[in-house]
Each structure stands twice: as C-alpha cells, then as structure tokens.
Amino acid sequence: LKIDVDMQRAAQTNNKEYEISAFETREQANARNLLAALNEAKFLRSDILANNDPQLKELLKQQQTLAQHLNSKENKRRNLLSGKHDEAARVEINKAIDELVKEHDRIDAKIRTLSRRIADLKDPRPATAQQIQRELDPDTLLLEFSLGDKRSYAWAVSNETVRGFELAPREQIESVATRLLHAITARNREDANETPRQRSTRLADADKEYAEAAAALSKLILE
C-alpha cells in the first residue's frame, strides 16, 4: 500500500522523492523476505546460540516471551472485537498491547547496544537508494520490481538517477511469466508414455511458445 501511495503521489506531483521512497520500501520488503528465509533455515537461532554473552541471551529470552504474550493479547482482542463488547474492555486490552509493544521495543534497543550483528539479523536495515547508487558503476542499471493487485511498478536505478514506472497488475504479469516458465522447462519434463514424435512436436510447440511469451513478458516489464 505504501509503495502504491508513494508512486501515485510521484505521478501527481512529479516529485522524485516519492519514487525513491517507494523504491526503498521495496528494498525493506526484500530484507524482510530474506530474514524470513534465514529464520526458516534456523540461521538466526544458531547465530544467537553461538553467542556466549549471558545478558544478551537473557534479553533475547525476555523478548521472545513478550512476543508470545503479544500474540496472545492480539488473539484475545480479535475475539473481543468479533463479538459484542463494551468500550472499557476494548480500551483495556489496547492499553495492555501498547505496554507490551513498548517493553518489546525497550528490550530491542538494549539488544542493539549489545550486539549489532544479531540486532541487524532480527531487524534488517537495508541500504538507502543513495547507498545503492554508490555501488553501481556507470555501465550498470539495477531493475527492481514490485507486483500489486491493481498495478505493479518497476524502478530503474543508475549511479545518477532513480526512475519509477507503472506496470500492469500482478495477475497479468504472472500469467505471462508462468507461460514463459513452462516453455523454458519443457525440455526438463519427461513423459514415459510419450513417443519420440510426440516429444519432438511438444518441444517444437514449447520453442514457439517461448518466443511468444518472452516477447510478451518483455513488453510488459521492460519496454
């Protein structure tokens, strides 16, 4: 939603700062996705366990307990608001959640003080647009994409500029991309009941589909 709002503001005001803000939001999303993958692989857990600082381990334990309490309170609030309730009960549970969030943030600040590496793994701080631009040479262009239900966006980042573009909705782009994927991987698929002639025909059709789908996708996301 933030990406969409910033890009619409950029189009209405011709203010490039909104395009940069949207691009940096996309980078934050990428960092979050990477963090989720690392957690799934238990990389973060192993990194924490390897740290021998007892104070840090205690803070991480407290933060985990607070997160569990917060999830429990959120579930109670959801159940409360889904049925009949009085205003006092709503105010009380909102206050309890606010206090848990404040305590969670307070402990997180302590963790950052003790270990920047673990803090960055828990809450990644992606590079800004300017920092990314400094990493690019004059012959390199970074393309970043964000797919949305109503419209998608692309950013072209060089060492001098950040430009944003509106693209087609997610469904349209993914449909063509899926066609292209199936065409590319056609040679990897085996069918025990397929005759050599049938396989040859199927691969010829896939090659034709590849050319058409590649051109269509290129038109949607690059042209």
Side-chain angles (χ1 to χ4, degrees):
L1 176 60
K2 185 179 186 303
I3 288 173
D4 197 41
V5 169
D6 279 344
M7 291 299 289
Q8 291 302 304
R9 282 178 173 174
Q12 293 165 5
T13 64
N14 200 30
N15 187 338
K16 292 295 181 182
E17 290 301 316
Y18 287 124
E19 287 185 0
I20 293 173
S21 175
F23 169 73
E24 290 179 343
T25 299
R26 179 58 185 153
E27 283 296 297
Q28 290 169 4
N30 288 342
R32 289 291 180 183
N33 290 337
L34 175 60
L35 177 64
L38 290 175
N39 277 331
E40 214 167 283
K42 299 189 186 306
F43 178 82
L44 177 58
R45 177 174 172 79
S46 63
D47 197 84
I48 290 172
L49 292 176
N51 192 297
N52 294 318
D53 186 336
Q55 184 182 2
L56 180 61
K57 286 191 173 183
E58 178 60 28
L59 286 170
L60 289 166
K61 183 178 179 181
Q62 291 177 20
Q63 193 178 53
Q64 185 178 23
T65 300
L66 279 170
Q68 291 171 349
H69 289 331
L70 188 57
N71 285 337
S72 176
K73 287 290 185 183
E74 287 285 6
N75 288 333
K76 287 182 179 179
R77 178 165 66 176
R78 191 178 301 112
N79 291 336
L80 175 70
L81 297 180
S82 65
K84 290 184 178 180
H85 62 277
D86 57 34
E87 183 64 13
R90 186 188 68 81
V91 170
E92 182 180 355
I93 198 164
N94 282 345
K95 182 179 179 182
I97 288 173
D98 287 343
E99 291 299 323
L100 286 172
V101 170
K102 288 178 183 177
E103 182 64 12
H104 187 279
D105 290 346
R106 185 185 67 80
I107 292 176
D108 193 64
K110 285 188 175 182
I111 292 172
R112 286 191 170 278
T113 302
L114 290 172
S115 174
R116 171 59 59 182
R117 171 170 167 73
I118 289 179
D120 285 343
L121 280 171
K122 292 174 77 281
D123 186 16
R125 302 294 172 90
T128 64
Q130 285 187 341
Q131 289 171 327
I132 291 173
Q133 286 180 287
R134 287 198 291 267
E135 298 295 324
L136 301 176
D137 61 63
D139 297 321
T140 300
L141 187 72
L142 169 67
L143 296 180
E144 184 81 63
F145 296 92
S146 177
L147 302 185
D149 293 337
K150 293 183 178 179
R151 49 193 159 255
S152 302
Y153 299 101
W155 296 269
V157 183
S158 72
N159 64 344
E160 294 183 344
T161 62
V162 177
R163 298 180 63 197
F165 304 87
E166 184 174 321
L167 304 179
R170 173 195 300 275
E171 185 177 4
Q172 189 176 345
I173 293 174
E174 287 187 342
S175 175
V176 178
T178 301
R179 283 177 52 204
L180 181 60
L181 176 62
H182 287 163
I184 290 175
T185 58
R187 295 182 184 279
N188 299 335
R189 295 195 295 273
E190 299 291 340
D191 185 347
N193 299 320
E194 192 175 47
T195 67
R197 181 184 293 276
Q198 288 173 328
R199 176 177 172 77
S200 177
T201 300
R202 178 171 64 82
L203 294 184
D205 291 341
D207 289 343
K208 181 182 179 183
E209 173 71 354
Y210 167 79
E212 294 176 355
L217 185 62
S218 177
K219 186 177 182 67
L220 278 174
I221 68 173
L222 295 176
E223 185 176 299

